[in-house]
């Protein structure tokens, strides 16, 4: 296994991968598979009153905490926690909870030292701001100017007319929105999921969003920054609706762009065929958005609701599932699904919550006769958004409200059991380290916070899940077997070389901050990862901070958005 600083064989491996792959290969950036550190902490830090646990991967009976001047300020006994299957490590835990004085510290034991961490009341604010500001850096169709972007500027991009793939004599104006990931495509279903994460974060935790100032265009405004930024994506989303209410699935070039700056990607953009999942997700998120923006811009809210209803009416006229697969010659993200029942449920739920019309409630009850996850909060499984909409609106019948409440609590309890069995406190098992594993960790963190919120607002509830939500953030920010903080620019040992065209092509060594890496993938689903990471590597350690490794280290808007939700909930 390659350790910190051992990169001498990378050129040989890169040549082997070039031989295997006809696609353009960018030169690899320096990388490490695992941190040399053996004491793992949340590198952003901890709030004074929070539970604080460092993880050690070597036998230790005693640890101490030192401050910036090297003085010991705290000590204790490390407790053995057994063998962890996902990491392959034997685990010891150090409880730092009683250390609550603001300051910067390290944990030391047996000659080993952790990364620096901080204790202060607003310790998450910097990470929260960076993860939210990352959406601005993903903006398409406009210049990123120095007064907002600092050194990470780029020119106006992707503003030419797009062609409708099914009839290329038709051209469309679909500029704007956010680049979806490390590529320059824009996709409706991931956009809807990312917006939903952010909108529900705003609905549950408005205080922390109201205080946020991330220096983006569109100010001064009475809208909080999160809604200013989301509107930029919504206005693109509205352009993807066809005259009859249906929604095109995506707007991309036929092939992923080379690793160039966005303004240098001059490939022809095509708007690709309608799908029922895209149309349903569009109907859902525009209905949700209409209820949020009405306070700030009634005309925009009316427009959103009108477009939502048009999409829903199209769905009613077209009850069959219309999936999406890439057309011949296209290799950009497909975001295909096998069913649209959960998407239609989300749409009906949001429209019922927004309007109270009985026809939408009848559809909700009809769709709930089918089997689909009712707490899922991803792009390909959206039932949890519909359930959350009904729970927050209070308009559903008591029996349904009670059932949906129980669904979230039961799911949170099952995930808490996984955390208790994990040496690292993470909510996924050794079998769950797949492409985008960090999204699962983050959406599980959302489920913990939602369950906690529901219990807190219940007559008989007992909030108890917040500590597990905090464990998921700890994992993302360094309490994991790689030692990485999986968010660019956050922590002293953080990812810096994501699979991201702009971040590579700008020739700036420091990646712009706030991007959430996909995380460990035990399947090593790209050729470079398969070549470098040995077979049999424990799942949690199947990670590489390298531009080549799209299955490990790409970023997406819908991995950033649950991070923003989680940080907001843990900050408020």
């Amino acid at each position: 296994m390659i350790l910190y600083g051992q990169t001498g064989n990378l050129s040989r491996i890169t040549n082997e991968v070039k031989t295997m792959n006809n696609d353009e290969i960018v030169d690899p950036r320096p990388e490490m598979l695992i941190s040399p550190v053996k004491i793992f902490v949340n590198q952003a830090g901890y709030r004074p009153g929070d539970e604080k646990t460092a993880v050690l991967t070597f036998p230790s009976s005693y640890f101490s905490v030192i401050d910036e001047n090297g003085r010991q300020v705290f000590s204790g006994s490390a407790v053995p926690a057994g063998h962890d299957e996902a990491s392959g490590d034997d685990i010891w835990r150090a409880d730092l909870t009683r250390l609550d004085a603001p300051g910067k510290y390290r944990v030391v034991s047996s000659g080993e030292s952790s990364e620096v961490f901080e204790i202060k009341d607003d310790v998450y604010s910097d990470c929260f701001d960076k993860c939210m500001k990352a959406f601005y850096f993903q903006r398409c169709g406009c210049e990123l100017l120095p007064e907002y972007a600092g050194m990470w500027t780029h020119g106006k991009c992707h503003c030419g007319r797009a062609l409708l793939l099914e009839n290329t004599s038709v051209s469309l104006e679909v500029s704007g929105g956010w680049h979806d990931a490390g590529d320059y495509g824009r996709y409706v279903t991931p956009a809807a999921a990312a917006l939903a994460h952010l909108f529900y974060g705003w609905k549950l935790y408005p205080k922390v969003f109201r205080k946020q100032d991330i220096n983006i265009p569109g100010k001064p405004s009475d809208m909080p920054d999160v809604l200013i930024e989301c509107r930029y994506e919504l206005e693109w989303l509205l352009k993807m609706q066809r005259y009859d209410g249906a929604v095109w699935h995506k707007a991309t070039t036929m092939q992923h762009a080379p690793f160039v700056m966005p303004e240098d990607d001059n490939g022809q953009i095509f708007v690709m065929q309608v799908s029922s999942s895209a149309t349903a997700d569009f109907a859902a998120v525009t209905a949700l958005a209409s209820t949020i923006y009405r306070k700030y811009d009634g005309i925009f809210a009316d427009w959103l609701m009108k477009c939502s209803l048009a999409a829903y009416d199209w769905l009613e006229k077209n009850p069959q599932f219309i999936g999406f697969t890439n057309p011949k010659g296209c290799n950009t993200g497909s975001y295909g699904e096998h069913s649209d029942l959960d998407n239609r449920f989300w749409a009906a739920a949001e429209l019922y919550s927004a309007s109270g019309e009985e026809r939408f409630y009848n559809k909700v009850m009809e769709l709930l006769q089918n089997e689909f996850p009712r707490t899922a909060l991803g792009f390909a499984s959206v039932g949890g958004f519909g359930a959350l909409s009904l729970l927050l609106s209070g308009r559903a019948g008591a029996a349904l409200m009670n059932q949906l409440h129980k669904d979230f609590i039961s799911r949170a309890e099952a995930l808490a059991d996984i955390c208790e069995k994990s040496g690292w406190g993470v909510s996924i098992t050794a079998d769950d380290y797949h492409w985008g594993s960090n999204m699962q960790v983050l959406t599980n963190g959302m489920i913990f916070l939602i369950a906690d919120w529901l219990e807190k607002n219940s007559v008989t509830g007992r909030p108890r899940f917040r500590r597990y939500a905090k464990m998921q953030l700890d994992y993302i920010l360094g309490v994991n077997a790689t030692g990485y903080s999986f968010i660019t620019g956050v922590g002293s040992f953080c990812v810096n070389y994501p699979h991201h065209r702009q971040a590579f092509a700008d020739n700036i060594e420091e990646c712009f901050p706030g991007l959430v890496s996909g995380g460990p993938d035990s399947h090593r689903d790209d050729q470079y990862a398969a070549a470098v990471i040995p077979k049999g590597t424990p799942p949690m350690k199947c990670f590489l901070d390298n531009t080549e490794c799209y299955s490990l280290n790409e970023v997406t808007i819908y991995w950033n958005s649950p991070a923003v939700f989680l940080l907001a909930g843990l900050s408020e």
Side-chain angles (χ1 to χ4, degrees):
M1 177 172 286
I2 299 172
L3 299 177
Y4 183 89
Q6 296 178 331
T7 57
N9 62 345
L10 291 183
S11 61
R12 175 186 60 77
I13 294 171
T14 303
N15 289 332
E16 290 175 1
V17 175
K18 285 182 178 179
T19 302
M20 292 186 290
N21 187 354
N22 291 325
D23 295 338
E24 178 181 359
I25 298 294
V26 300
D27 291 333
R29 300 286 179 94
E31 82 263 317
M32 310 120 207
L33 284 181
I34 59 174
S35 166
V37 169
K38 296 181 180 180
I39 303 176
F40 302 84
V41 295
N42 180 326
Q43 293 175 40
Y46 305 88
R47 294 172 66 169
D50 283 350
E51 183 177 318
K52 310 171 190 73
T53 303
V55 169
L56 292 70
T57 55
F58 58 92
S60 175
S61 59
Y62 178 83
F63 72 90
S64 60
V65 179
I66 59 173
D67 65 13
E68 290 180 284
N69 298 312
R71 294 176 301 211
Q72 179 176 310
V73 296
F74 187 80
S75 64
S77 299
V79 178
H83 183 76
D84 179 78
E85 181 185 1
S87 65
D89 290 318
D90 294 327
I91 300 295
W92 283 257
R93 291 194 184 121
D95 185 355
L96 318 176
T97 303
R98 290 189 296 112
L99 177 64
D100 58 8
K104 293 183 178 180
Y105 306 99
R106 292 179 185 267
V107 179
V108 295
S109 178
S110 302
E112 302 288 346
S113 172
S114 74
E115 301 290 343
V116 175
F117 65 93
E118 189 168 10
I119 294 177
K120 64 177 181 177
D121 286 330
D122 62 347
V123 75
Y124 299 137
S125 62
D126 178 66
C127 185
F128 177 51
D129 289 350
K130 285 174 177 174
C131 287
M132 190 65 230
K133 180 68 175 274
F135 290 94
Y136 168 75
F137 286 113
Q138 291 291 101
R139 282 194 185 190
C140 181
C142 66
E143 263 188 292
L144 300 192
L145 299 170
E147 54 262 44
Y148 305 111
M151 60 184 168
W152 297 288
T153 60
H154 71 65
K156 198 172 184 180
C157 63
H158 305 107
C159 291
R161 301 283 291 189
L163 300 181
L164 185 62
L165 186 63
E166 58 204 57
N167 180 0
T168 55
S169 66
V170 176
S171 68
L172 300 163
E173 200 288 292
V174 292
S175 63
W178 298 322
H179 298 139
D180 174 69
D183 66 285
Y184 295 135
R186 287 160 294 153
Y187 308 83
V188 168
T189 55
L195 287 167
H197 293 143
L198 297 173
F199 286 147
Y200 278 112
W202 159 251
K203 286 172 77 75
L204 290 181
Y205 310 110
K207 290 180 183 177
V208 69
F209 281 106
R210 285 196 184 103
K211 292 188 292 185
Q212 189 172 57
D213 182 357
I214 56 172
N215 185 32
I216 55 175
K219 299 167 73 174
S221 169
D222 58 348
M223 278 195 288
D225 286 8
V226 62
L227 299 186
I228 294 173
E229 192 56 53
C230 286
R231 180 165 180 161
Y232 191 82
E233 177 79 336
L234 278 169
E235 289 179 350
W236 166 75
L237 201 62
L238 293 168
K239 296 178 181 181
M240 293 295 288
Q241 186 170 40
R242 199 168 67 182
Y243 66 91
D244 61 350
V247 176
W248 291 298
H249 194 80
K250 67 177 182 177
T252 74
T253 51
M254 290 297 283
Q255 302 288 318
H256 284 306
F259 276 70
V260 297
M261 291 295 284
E263 63 268 34
D264 297 325
D265 175 24
N266 298 313
Q268 178 61 57
I269 293 173
F270 292 91
V271 172
M272 302 194 190
Q273 61 264 35
V274 160
S275 73
S276 56
S277 54
T279 304
D281 288 357
F282 174 99
V285 81
T286 50
L288 169 61
S290 73
T291 67
I292 292 171
Y293 285 91
R294 187 159 302 283
K295 175 182 177 181
Y296 303 99
D297 187 338
I299 294 173
F300 185 53
D302 288 342
W303 180 24
L304 288 164
M305 181 54 74
K306 180 179 179 180
C307 293
S308 175
L309 289 168
Y312 186 84
D313 289 344
W314 184 89
L315 291 168
E316 289 290 89
K317 294 172 186 174
N318 296 271
Q320 72 280 15
F321 171 59
I322 301 173
F324 181 88
T325 55
N326 268 337
K328 186 177 180 180
C330 180
N331 79 341
T332 56
S334 62
Y335 289 108
E337 300 180 40
H338 301 293
S339 169
D340 63 5
L341 293 172
D342 57 329
N343 311 78
R344 289 173 184 262
F345 165 70
W346 182 25
E350 292 290 2
L351 279 161
Y352 177 66
S353 296
S355 70
E357 289 187 31
E358 188 175 355
R359 64 176 175 131
F360 300 123
Y361 190 64
N362 291 339
K363 179 60 70 172
V364 163
M365 299 306 292
E366 174 190 325
L367 288 164
L368 283 173
Q369 303 307 307
N370 300 282
E371 290 294 326
F372 55 81
R374 297 184 186 182
T375 60
L377 301 166
F379 81 86
S381 191
V382 295
F385 296 130
L388 188 55
S389 174
L390 295 168
L391 285 165
L392 295 187
S393 73
R395 281 182 155 157
L400 178 55
M401 294 282 281
N402 288 337
Q403 184 57 57
L404 296 175
H405 183 120
K406 288 178 182 177
D407 288 343
F408 272 107
I409 301 305
S410 295
R411 181 60 179 153
E413 287 173 340
L415 293 171
D417 287 342
I418 295 172
C419 294
E420 293 291 352
K421 293 172 185 174
S422 165
W424 304 87
V426 71
S427 58
I428 59 177
T429 70
D431 295 330
D432 296 328
Y433 286 86
H434 47 68
W435 195 330
S437 62
N438 280 347
M439 182 192 74
Q440 192 62 57
V441 174
L442 290 163
T443 54
N444 288 348
M446 288 181 64
I447 288 171
F448 286 130
L449 285 180
I450 291 166
D452 203 68
W453 188 92
L454 291 170
E455 291 286 84
K456 185 170 62 177
N457 288 277
S458 169
V459 174
T460 59
R462 181 172 61 87
R464 60 192 188 276
F465 296 111
R466 185 181 179 87
R467 65 183 295 264
Y468 295 106
K470 173 68 168 55
M471 290 177 188
Q472 308 321 296
L473 184 62
D474 289 346
Y475 171 89
I476 294 294
L477 291 175
V479 186
N480 63 72
T482 73
Y484 278 103
S485 162
F486 288 120
I487 302 179
T488 59
V490 178
S492 52
F493 187 75
C494 63
V495 293
N496 192 57
Y497 305 110
H499 182 86
H500 192 281
R501 282 155 177 77
Q502 177 187 334
F504 179 85
D506 63 13
N507 291 317
I508 299 171
E509 180 67 15
E510 181 184 351
C511 180
F512 60 85
L515 293 174
V516 177
S517 168
D521 173 13
S522 62
H523 302 284
R524 303 170 304 139
D525 285 313
D526 63 73
Q527 289 178 311
Y528 193 83
V532 174
I533 300 175
K535 288 183 180 179
T537 299
M540 197 189 292
K541 293 178 180 174
C542 289
F543 182 75
L544 200 62
D545 181 23
N546 183 273
T547 304
E548 293 280 5
C549 294
Y550 52 85
S551 72
L552 311 177
N553 207 30
E554 194 168 8
V555 301
T556 75
I557 54 175
Y558 57 91
W559 297 342
N560 256 76
S561 49
V564 170
F565 183 107
L566 188 58
L567 285 157
L570 291 172
S571 295
E572 186 157 293

